[in-house]
Amino acid sequence: MAETLLDIRGLKTWFATDDGLVRAVDGVDLHIDRGETLGVVGESGCGKTVTARSVLKLIDMPPGRFEDGQILWQGRDLIPLGQDEMDKIRAREIAIIFQEPMTSLNPVYTVGHQIAEVLQQHEKLGARQAMQAAVEMLRLVNIPNPQKRVHDYPHQFSGGMRQRVMIAMAMSCKPRLLIADEPTTALDVTIQAQILELMQEMKDKLGMSMMLITHAMGVVAETCQRVVVMYAGKVVEEAPVEALFGNPRHPYTQGLIRSIPRVDRAAEHKERLEAIPGSVPSLLDPPPGCRFASRCKYAMDICVRGMPPFKEVGPGHRVACVL
Amino acid sequence: MSRQYIIRRLLVAIPSLLGISVVLFCVLALAPGDPFSEIAANPAIPPEVAASLRAKFGLDDPVWLRYLHWLSAMAHGDWGFSFASRINVDTLILQRLPTTLIVIGAAQILAIVVALPVGVLAGTRPYSIFDQVANTLAFIGFSLPTFFTGLLLIMLFSIKLDWLPMVYNAELSSTGWPWLWEQIRQSIMPVMVLGLFQGASLVRYVRSAVLDVVRLDYVTTARSKGIGERRVITRHVVRTALIPVVTLVALQMPIVFSGAIVTEQIFRVPGIGSLLIAAMLANDTPVIMAVTFVFACLVVMFNLIADVLYGWLDPRISYR
Ligand SMILES: Nc1ncnc2c1ncn2[C@@H]1O[C@H](COP(=O)(O)OP(=O)(O)OP(=O)(O)O)[C@@H](O)[C@H]1O
Ligand code: SF4
Ligand SMILES: [Mg+2]
C-alpha cells in the first residue's frame, strides 16, 4: 500500500461576499500518494485554485474561511496550525507554483534574491551561499548563463523563463509535494511542453509528488497517474488515468474527454469541438441535488432530489452519479 | 543608477527654472506698487531724486530688459538689494533659510515616521478598528487647515497651559544644552502642525498603496515561501508600495511649502516663509522674487530627488 502524503477530507472553503456565501470548495476529498502525480481537472471556476491554495493556507481570511474538513499532511491536520507552523511547511515540504508567471515574481528583486530568500529562511544558508545555491537552481531548470542571470530582474525574463524561475524557487528546498496550479496555461504551446517536461524531470530527480491542476485533458493523459475531476466545488469522479480515459463514468467527465480537440478527426470531418452546453451553476446557492443536473442529458428526478453518493466502480475508480 | 541620468535630469531642470523665473518676473512686474512708491509719496524727497533713483535701479525699463538684468545679476551671484531691510537679498535669505529647512525637514521626518507604520498597519488590516480610527484621524488632520490647528495649539499649550513659548525666538540668549532645550521647545508646535498635516495625507497614500499591493500575485508567492508574515509585509509589500508614495510626496512639496509659509506666520518663525510675507507687505520686489525663486528651486530639487529615488526603488525604470 502506497504511503499517503496528503489527504484532504470533506474540505469546505467558503467565501463571504457581498452577494452571499460563495461555496467555492464544498466538500472535497482527495489524496496524493508518495511519488505520484495527481491531476485535478475541471472547468474554470470549479474551485481548483481554492483547493490548491487551501492546502498551504494561502486563502485570504476574511473573506475566506474553512467551514469544515481536514487537510492531513502526513497524518497531521494543517487547518488548526498557526502561522509559524505553516511557515515551516511552506516551501520546505509543500511548494506551489502559479498560473501567471508574469505577475508571480516580485518586480523589485532580482530572481536570485527571490530564490535565495527561500534558502536563507529554511536551509539557514548565509547570503552568499544562498546566492550560489540559487545559481545552481537556475542551472538545474536550464536557464542559460545562470551565473549572470541570477542578478537579473523578473522583467528581463520571458514568460517561460519566469516559470522556470518559479520552478527553481519551488524546488529549492526539495519539497515532498509540488502543487502546480495551471503552470502552463499562460504560456505558448511549445513552451508548455518544455515546462511540463522540466517539471516531470524535477519530480523524478527529487522523488516528490505532484498535484497538477489543469484545464487540458491532454496534459493529464501524459503526466498523471490518477485524476480527480471537479465540478462546481465538488469532486465528481476520481480514477487512475487509464480508467478515466478508457471508461469515464460521470457524464461531465465524458463531456470533458469529448471536448479534447482531436487533430486527426477535426481535420477529416471538420467537426466542431464538442463543448459541454450550459455553464457552471452559481456557487452562491447550489441546488440540493447533483450540481451537474442542469447540463446533464441523463438527468432524472432522483438526481435533483439529493446529492448522489460516491460509489466504487473499479479499483480506485469512484464516481458521484446515480447512473 | 547612473550618474549620467542624474546629470541629464539636472540639465533638464535648468529650462524649467528659467521658465518659472520668467513667469514670476512678469507677474511681479504687473503687480501694483514697487519699492519706490513710498519714496515717491514721501514729500520730503524731491521728485528729481526719486526719479533718478528709479532710473538707477532701472525701474522704468521695459519688463524684458529688467528681466535680463535680473538674470545676468543672478548669474553673477548678485541677488539684489532689499530696500526694506537695507541688506543684500542673498544674506537675508541665507539668514532665514536654515530655520525653514529645519522646521520643514523635522516636520517631514515626523510625518514619515508616523504615517509609514500607521498606513502600513491600516492597509494590511483593511476595515479593522485600527484602520477605521486611523482613517478618521487622517481625514480630520487632512481637513483642518494649518492656521486652525496652529492657533488651537497656541491656545492650549501656550495660553492655557503655558508649557510652550508662543513665539519663535531666533536669537536665543542661552548656549549649549539650555539653548538646545529652548530650541526644541519652541520648535515643537510648528513642527507638529506641519508634520501632522503632512502625515495625515501621507497615511492615506500609504494605506491605499499597501491595499493595492497586498492583493498582487507575488505577495501570495512570498507567503507561499514560508518566510513569515512580517517579512512578507516589510520586504514584499512595503517595498513596492513605497514607489508611488515617493512620487506623491515629491508632488506634494509645493503644498508643504505653502503650509510652511502659513505656519511660520502663525508662530512667528523667522524663516523664508515669513520673510516672503513681510516682503510682500513692504512691496520689497527683489526679496519676493528671490524667495519665490528659492521655493521654485526647492520644488524642482525635490522632484529630482523623487526621480532618483523612484529609479532606485523600481528596477523596471531604466535610465536611457
Ligand atoms: N477571494 C475570493 N472571494 C470570493 N470568491 C472567491 C475568492 N476566491 C475564489 N472565489 C470563488 O471561488 C470559485 C472558485 O474559484 P477558483 O479560482 O478556485 O476556480 P478555478 O477552478 O481555479 O478556475 P480557473 O480554472 O479559472 O483557475 C470562483 O467562483 C470564485 O469566484
Ligand atoms: S447524477 Fe444525474 S444529473 Fe448528475 S451527472 Fe449523474 S445522471 Fe447526470
Ligand atoms: Mg485557478
Side-chain angles (χ1 to χ4, degrees):
Chain A
M1 173 104 191
E3 180 195 347
T4 301
L5 272 186
L6 179 71
D7 191 0
I8 300 180
R9 294 185 183 167
L11 179 68
K12 292 186 180 178
T13 309
W14 293 358
F15 294 93
T17 68
D18 291 342
D19 301 326
L21 214 48
V22 175
R23 304 175 184 217
V25 169
D26 202 19
V28 160
D29 296 271
L30 62 82
H31 68 99
I32 300 176
D33 291 339
R34 160 171 258 168
E36 82 171 339
T37 301
L38 174 79
V40 177
V41 296
E43 273 166 301
S44 195
C46 68
K48 305 182 296 292
T49 297
V50 174
T51 307
R53 292 190 182 197
S54 295
V55 174
L56 278 170
K57 302 223 284 181
L58 296 173
I59 302 285
D60 287 330
M61 299 195 179
R65 66 166 195 258
F66 291 129
E67 182 64 23
D68 198 8
Q70 289 178 307
I71 299 172
L72 299 171
W73 172 247
Q74 300 181 306
R76 178 159 77 138
D77 190 4
L78 299 182
I79 287 180
L81 289 194
Q83 165 95 30
D84 288 352
E85 277 172 298
M86 267 325 284
D87 278 338
K88 287 186 195 133
I89 290 171
R90 289 172 178 159
R92 200 160 72 159
E93 296 185 23
I94 308 175
I96 185 165
I97 55 183
F98 302 103
Q99 177 171 352
E100 280 297 333
M102 298 319 254
T103 53
S104 296
L105 289 163
N106 191 325
V108 306
Y109 294 110
T110 63
V111 297
H113 179 109
Q114 297 186 56
I115 299 173
E117 189 175 30
V118 188
L119 290 156
Q120 278 176 281
Q121 176 75 25
H122 297 291
E123 310 278 312
K124 306 287 172 243
L125 295 185
R128 185 162 303 165
Q129 284 172 299
M131 211 42 139
Q132 202 46 51
V135 173
E136 288 315 311
M137 288 312 300
L138 289 184
R139 200 190 307 284
L140 207 61
V141 297
N142 303 325
I143 287 192
N145 203 355
Q147 200 77 47
K148 192 176 146 287
R149 297 293 268 165
V150 78
H151 301 299
D152 281 349
Y153 290 93
H155 70 273
Q156 292 163 297
F157 289 80
S158 67
M161 284 293 167
R162 287 191 214 184
Q163 202 59 301
R164 283 174 194 269
V165 171
M166 283 299 290
I167 294 172
M169 195 157 86
M171 297 290 92
S172 56
C173 295
K174 304 184 176 57
R176 308 192 67 182
L177 172 67
L178 174 66
I179 300 176
D181 186 0
E182 305 196 36
T184 60
T185 309
L187 303 175
D188 288 347
V189 185
T190 45
I191 313 282
Q192 285 186 5
Q194 292 174 13
I195 295 291
L196 283 171
E197 198 178 313
L198 174 68
M199 293 198 337
Q200 195 65 40
E201 190 188 314
M202 292 286 118
K203 173 182 175 272
D204 294 341
K205 216 174 259 179
L206 300 179
M208 58 176 193
S209 311
M210 192 149 81
M211 176 170 164
L212 180 63
I213 296 173
T214 178
H215 287 281
M217 294 301 278
V219 169
V220 172
E222 267 170 51
T223 44
C224 303
Q225 280 90 59
R226 281 192 314 114
V227 190
V228 157
V229 181
M230 284 185 68
Y231 186 79
K234 284 187 165 298
V235 173
V236 294
E237 187 162 6
E238 176 191 347
V241 72
E242 308 80 29
L244 191 91
F245 283 94
N247 182 22
R249 295 298 295 268
H250 198 281
Y252 177 64
T253 317
Q254 293 168 0
L256 277 184
I257 290 174
R258 270 199 303 275
S259 71
I260 305 173
R262 289 283 300 263
V263 182
D264 47 341
R265 262 196 253 159
E268 272 172 40
H269 304 289
K270 301 246 180 301
E271 261 179 351
R272 275 203 39 223
L273 211 144
E274 189 175 351
I276 307 165
S279 57
V280 187
S282 158
L283 296 169
L284 272 174
D285 271 309
C290 173
R291 292 190 182 174
F292 190 56
S294 61
R295 297 164 77 185
C296 178
K297 53 187 171 192
Y298 310 109
M300 295 168 280
D301 276 355
I302 50 164
C303 299
V304 291
R305 239 174 275 144
M307 197 68 77
F310 254 113
K311 61 183 182 202
E312 192 104 21
V313 292
H317 191 167
R318 302 190 310 147
V319 63
C321 173
V322 295
L323 284 182
Chain B
M1 177 71 42
S2 74
R3 182 174 306 154
Q4 263 181 333
Y5 170 79
I6 299 175
I7 292 173
R8 194 150 2 97
R9 287 308 313 252
L10 274 173
L11 291 179
V12 170
I14 292 175
S16 47
L17 281 177
L18 277 178
I20 294 171
S21 70
V22 169
V23 172
L24 281 179
F25 205 91
C26 292
V27 169
L28 287 181
L30 290 175
D34 64 50
F36 287 89
S37 43
E38 276 170 47
I39 297 179
N42 188 339
I45 297 173
E48 311 85 68
V49 176
S52 75
L53 268 174
R54 292 183 70 86
K56 181 179 171 227
F57 286 98
L59 284 176
D60 294 322
D61 290 342
V63 179
W64 61 270
L65 195 59
R66 277 192 279 154
Y67 175 72
L68 289 182
H69 277 148
W70 175 84
L71 192 64
S72 86
M74 282 292 277
H76 290 93
D78 173 10
W79 289 53
F81 185 77
S82 163
F83 303 105
S85 311
R86 317 218 170 274
I87 175 175
N88 276 338
V89 174
D90 49 354
T91 334
L92 191 60
I93 286 181
L94 282 182
Q95 277 174 4
R96 301 292 199 99
L97 192 58
T99 314
T100 299
L101 289 184
I102 287 172
V103 170
I104 289 184
Q108 281 292 306
I109 291 172
L110 174 71
I112 291 169
V113 164
V114 172
L116 210 56
V118 172
V120 169
L121 278 178
T124 48
R125 297 166 180 67
Y127 311 111
S128 64
I129 304 276
F130 179 85
D131 182 35
Q132 284 172 6
V133 170
N135 242 331
T136 312
L137 288 181
F139 186 75
I140 294 173
F142 183 70
S143 331
L144 292 178
T146 41
F147 70 80
F148 181 77
T149 38
L151 292 178
L152 204 70
L153 287 192
I154 290 180
M155 288 236 297
L156 189 64
F157 292 106
S158 302
I159 297 175
K160 264 250 150 58
L161 298 170
D162 198 20
W163 286 353
L164 296 170
M166 191 155 91
V167 169
Y168 194 99
N169 179 0
E171 279 121 28
L172 289 173
S173 49
S174 47
T175 53
W177 290 116
W179 175 85
L180 187 69
W181 172 237
E182 271 309 303
Q183 196 67 27
I184 290 175
R185 262 168 43 94
Q186 67 181 3
S187 307
I188 286 179
M189 284 196 296
V191 168
M192 289 283 266
V193 165
L194 209 50
L196 292 181
F197 180 69
Q198 263 295 293
S201 61
L202 202 54
V203 163
R204 288 146 55 99
Y205 289 151
V206 172
R207 175 185 183 270
S208 76
V210 165
L211 268 179
D212 283 344
V213 174
V214 280
R215 309 181 270 125
L216 297 181
D217 289 349
Y218 62 76
V219 177
T220 312
T221 305
R223 291 216 167 90
S224 80
K225 288 156 86 170
I227 53 177
E229 186 64 15
R230 213 192 163 87
R231 217 181 136 96
V232 169
I233 297 297
T234 54
R235 300 295 174 95
H236 290 272
V237 176
V238 174
R239 174 62 205 281
T240 23
L242 279 183
I243 298 172
V245 171
V246 164
T247 325
L248 284 166
V249 169
L251 291 178
Q252 269 213 322
M253 281 328 276
I255 302 178
V256 176
F257 288 128
S258 53
I261 294 173
V262 175
T263 314
E264 285 183 1
Q265 198 60 20
I266 298 167
F267 294 99
R268 303 267 174 272
V269 179
I272 57 170
S274 51
L275 175 63
L276 178 64
I277 294 193
M280 282 171 168
L281 294 177
N283 263 330
D284 198 352
T285 322
V287 177
I288 303 177
M289 185 65 202
V291 172
T292 33
F293 193 66
V294 166
F295 276 132
C297 288
L298 287 174
V299 168
V300 169
M301 189 182 81
F302 275 104
N303 273 309
L304 185 66
I305 292 176
D307 276 348
V308 172
L309 268 178
Y310 197 86
W312 178 67
L313 284 169
D314 190 346
R316 287 165 296 185
I317 311 286
S318 61
Y319 304 97
R320 259 171 292 115

